[in-house]
Amino acid sequence: MQIPPETFVHLAKHLINQGNLDKPLDECVFQAHFKLTPLGTAKLWTRLLQYNPQSVTLDGVKYSISNYQPNHLLWLLHYLKTYVSEDVAASFCGISNKTHGKYVWSLMQFVYNMGCNLVSTGYFILIFSFLYFIHLSFCSRCTLKTDLRAVMGQN
C-alpha cells in the first residue's frame, strides 16, 4: 500500500513537535531528523513493501514486512541519522527500549537486504549511504570490532 509523503510529515510532527500538530514542519527539519525527504521516505516505504522475501530472521525470530507501520520506518531513519544510544532514540520515539530495538533492528535488516539487491540507479542510490552504516551497526551489535580506517584503506 502506497503512503503519501504527507503521512510521513504528519507522523514526524508527532515526534519532532512532541504532538503539536498545528506547528508546521518544513522539509529541511524533516531531513535534519530522518536524512530523506518525505517523498524519499514514502518511496522507500513503497519499495520495502514490494521487497521479496517478505520476511527476515534476526536473532532466531522471523519478522514479516506486513507487521510494520510507517512510523517504524521513521524510527529507523532517525536512529540511522542521529546514531544516538537506544535509550535516547526510544525516548525520542516515545516507546520502550524493547519496542525500539524490535522494530528498528529488524527493519534495518530489511533495508540492508533490499539495498544489497538494488541496482544503484535513480533516487534509491541514497539507500547505499545507509548500507555501510547499517553494516557497522550490525557488527557492533554482534560485538564484532570493525576498524573503519582499514575498511577505508587508510592506515
Side-chain angles (χ1 to χ4, degrees), residues 23-88:
K23 185 177 177 184
L25 182 69
D26 68 18
E27 195 168 287
C28 290
V29 173
F30 188 97
Q31 278 188 282
H33 284 82
F34 306 109
K35 180 72 173 171
L36 300 177
T37 63
L39 178 61
T41 306
K43 287 182 177 183
L44 177 57
W45 177 254
T46 300
R47 196 70 181 251
L48 278 167
L49 294 179
Q50 296 169 347
Y51 175 69
N52 280 312
Q54 290 285 297
S55 63
V56 296
T57 302
L58 182 65
D59 296 334
V61 178
K62 189 173 184 174
Y63 296 92
S64 172
I65 195 67
S66 62
N67 293 337
Y68 295 91
Q69 299 296 319
N71 59 312
H72 299 143
L73 180 58
L74 289 180
W75 298 350
L76 170 63
L77 293 175
H78 180 264
Y79 182 69
L80 292 174
K81 172 72 167 112
T82 61
Y83 200 54
V84 293
S85 71
E86 287 190 71
D87 292 332
V88 173

Side-chain angles (χ1 to χ4, degrees), residues 34-36 44 76-77 80-81 111-112 125-135:
F34 306 109
K35 180 72 173 171
L36 300 177
L44 177 57
L76 170 63
L77 293 175
L80 292 174
K81 172 72 167 112
V111 173
Y112 180 77
I125 196 166
L126 288 178
I127 198 172
F128 289 97
S129 67
F130 286 127
L131 288 180
Y132 183 72
F133 178 79
I134 291 171
H135 172 72

